[in-house]
Amino acid sequence: MALPHTRRARERRLASTVLAGACFIAPLAQGAETAESLQHSVGSLRYGVSLYHFYQHDYFNALTELMVGQQEDSLGAHAGSAELLRGGMALSYGMDREAQSIFTRLLGSVDYDDAHNVDADQAWFYLGKLAWQRGDAARTSVTLERMDEDYEGELRNEALYLMASAHLAQGEPDAALAHLAALPEDSYWRGYLNYNLGAQAAGNEQWQLATAYFDAVTLDAEFAGETSALKDKSMTARGYAHLAAGDFDLAGDAFRQVTLDGSSAPRALLGYGWSHAGGGDYLAALTPWQVLSERSLLEPSARESLLALPYAYGELGRPGLALAGYETAASRYTTELHNVERAIAAFRDDDLAGLLGLAQESDADWLFSMDTKPGGEHAPYLEHLATRHAFQVAMKELRDLYSLNAHLARSKQKLDVLRQVDAHQQDVWHSIVAGGRRDQVAAQHATLADDTAALRKRLKSAIADTSGRELASSEQNALWNRVANAAELADALDKNEAHSEMLRLYHGLLIFEDSEQYPARAWEARKALAALDELVAES
C-alpha cells in the first residue's frame, strides 16, 4: 500500500531536526548556524561550499562540489565525513544502490559509527524503504535486517511493517506474522499490515481468514482520516470475500459499514448491489447501482454498474428497461472511449513534462517529498497509476532527468562563456608580450585595486544596513521605484484609503523580502569580493 500522507508529515517533522535525506549524519549539522562558525570548523573550501549547497537542499551542486573535491584530493580531514555525506545525498537523490555501496563500505564497523556519531540503523531503514518503493522486496528484506535487533527508535514500527510486507511479497507469510506479533497493539502500522495479510488470504481463497484480518483493522484517533479510509477499504474487501464465499447477508453487512463519502464508496456500492442480487433480491440491487451509474465512468465500479442495471431489469422481467439500459451503456461507453483515445493521443504526442506536471525544475528529496501528482485535462486517466509506488518512482526519475537536463544546459552556457573569457585572456597576454605594455598593465592593476577598495567600502556599508535594501537585486529595486512612484501619484491625487492601505502592504512586503534575502545576498557579495581580491593579488 502507498505510504500514508500523514505519516509523511510526521517524518518531515523528524527530518527538520536531522536534515532530511541525510538525517543520520549528525556531525555535519553541528556548527553550521553561522558563517563564522562554519569558517572555523571547515578546513576545505570544496567541503564548505558543498555543505552550503547541502543545507539549501541543492543536492546536485552539493554532490558536484563534493565529488570534485574527492577527485582533487582536496578534502583533507573531512574526507571520511564527506564520503558519508555523499552517501546520504545519493540516497536523497534516489540513487539508493550507490548509497548502499557507500554505507556498506563505511558502516561495517562499530568504531566508525561511534567515531562519526552515525545512526546506522536509520541509514539502513531509509535504504530499505526506498528499495520497497522500487518494488524490490528481496533487497528490502536484506537491507532492513541489517538494523540492530534491539533498535527502539521512532522508525522501529514502520521498519517492522516494511519487513513484514516484504516477506508477504516473497510468499513468506510466517515471517510476516512474526513481525506482526512484534508490533505494539496500538501501532499505526498494524492496521496496514492486517489489511495486506487479509488481501493475501483472499487471494488464496481463504475467505474466513481474510475476513478475520479485515476485521482487525481499527480506527486510530491520531490518524482518523487515514485509518477511516483504511477501515472502509477493509470492509469493502471483507464484503467481496463474503461474496466469493457465497455469504450474501454477511457481505451486505460489511458493505453497509463503508462511509458513502470515502474513496471506497463506489466499489462498496457495487458490491452491495451484488449482495442483494446474489440473494435474488434484484429490486433492492437497483438502488445502489442506480446511484453508482450516475458517477463518472473513470470509476471502474460505475462502468460495471451500467451493465449490472439492465441485467437486473432482465431478471425482474422488464426486457424493455433492460434493452434501454444496454443502449445507454453502449452510448456512454462510446463517449468515454473517445475521451480515452484523446488522452492516449495527448500522452503519445504532447509534451510529457507539461502533462505530468514535471515542467518545473526541481531537486526534490526522494525520501520526504510528497507524491508527484499529474496535472492537466487528462490527469484523471492516470489516477489508477498515481497511487502505485512503481509509478511514483518512475515520475521521480523522470523529474530528475528534466532537472539534470536543465543543470547541464546551464553548465553548457557557463562553459561557452568560460571559453570566450579564456580566448580573450589569451589574446590580452599575447598583446602584452608582443607590445611591451607593462606600464599600461601596472596602471590598470592600480585602477583595479582602487576599484576593489571602493567596492569593499560599498559592501561594508551595504552589509551594515541590515534592512537589505542596499543589497537588493535590480528587479527588487525596480519594484521599490514603482511603489515610490505610486505613492507620489497617490499624494498628488485625492487620497483613497484603500489605495493607501495597498501601498503600505506592498511597502511592508518589499521590506520583508529584503530582510529574508539579506543573509544570502551578503554571503554572495562577500564571496564575489573574495574572488576579486584573489584576482587582484594574482594580477
Side-chain angles (χ1 to χ4, degrees), residues 3 128-136 140 366 389-390 393 396:
L3 185 65
K129 180 178 176 180
L130 201 51
W132 174 251
Q133 290 177 348
R134 290 187 179 280
D136 193 338
T140 300
W366 272 59
H389 283 316
V393 167
K396 289 177 181 179

Side-chain angles (χ1 to χ4, degrees), residues 75 100 106 117 188 224 228 240 261 299 391 393 418-419 535:
L75 298 177
Q100 184 163 1
L106 295 182
N117 192 23
Y188 168 88
S228 175
Y240 278 98
D261 57 350
E299 172 57 55
F391 181 83
V393 167
L418 287 173
R419 283 171 176 162
L535 289 175

Side-chain angles (χ1 to χ4, degrees), residues 420-437 440-441 444:
Q420 294 177 10
V421 171
D422 181 64
H424 176 71
Q425 189 67 40
Q426 293 293 336
D427 291 342
V428 169
W429 281 111
H430 284 307
S431 175
I432 291 174
V433 172
R437 298 190 302 162
Q440 182 181 353
V441 171
Q444 291 176 347

Side-chain angles (χ1 to χ4, degrees), residues 360-473:
Q360 184 176 3
E361 180 189 344
S362 171
D363 279 342
D365 192 309
W366 272 59
L367 292 173
F368 298 97
S369 61
M370 296 294 287
D371 284 343
T372 305
K373 297 181 180 179
E377 173 188 1
H378 304 294
Y381 293 96
L382 292 178
E383 285 185 359
H384 65 292
L385 295 175
T387 57
R388 299 181 182 179
H389 283 316
F391 181 83
Q392 287 298 323
V393 167
M395 291 274 281
K396 289 177 181 179
E397 288 178 339
L398 185 58
R399 176 202 66 201
D400 287 348
L401 286 175
Y402 280 112
S403 179
L404 288 172
N405 187 59
H407 281 299
L408 291 174
R410 283 199 301 271
S411 297
K412 184 179 182 302
Q413 292 176 352
K414 293 177 181 178
L415 184 60
D416 291 340
V417 171
L418 287 173
R419 283 171 176 162
Q420 294 177 10
V421 171
D422 181 64
H424 176 71
Q425 189 67 40
Q426 293 293 336
D427 291 342
V428 169
W429 281 111
H430 284 307
S431 175
I432 291 174
V433 172
R437 298 190 302 162
R438 183 180 183 85
D439 293 339
Q440 182 181 353
V441 171
Q444 291 176 347
H445 176 269
T447 302
L448 179 61
D450 292 340
D451 291 344
T452 303
L455 282 173
R456 185 179 294 103
K457 184 176 180 181
R458 285 182 59 191
L459 176 60
K460 183 177 180 181
S461 173
I463 292 177
D465 180 14
T466 56
S467 69
R469 179 68 185 276
E470 293 191 38
L471 292 174
S473 63

Side-chain angles (χ1 to χ4, degrees), residues 43-55:
S44 166
L45 177 61
R46 288 283 185 196
Y47 187 60
V49 173
S50 179
L51 282 181
Y52 171 78
H53 289 302
F54 169 70
Y55 288 123

Side-chain angles (χ1 to χ4, degrees), residues 63 68 72 108 155 180 190 196 220 314 346 354 358 404 414 501:
L63 275 170
V68 169
E72 294 176 342
L155 302 174
L180 175 65
R190 198 175 181 87
N196 291 343
D220 185 328
L358 301 175
L404 288 172
K414 293 177 181 178
E501 180 61 26

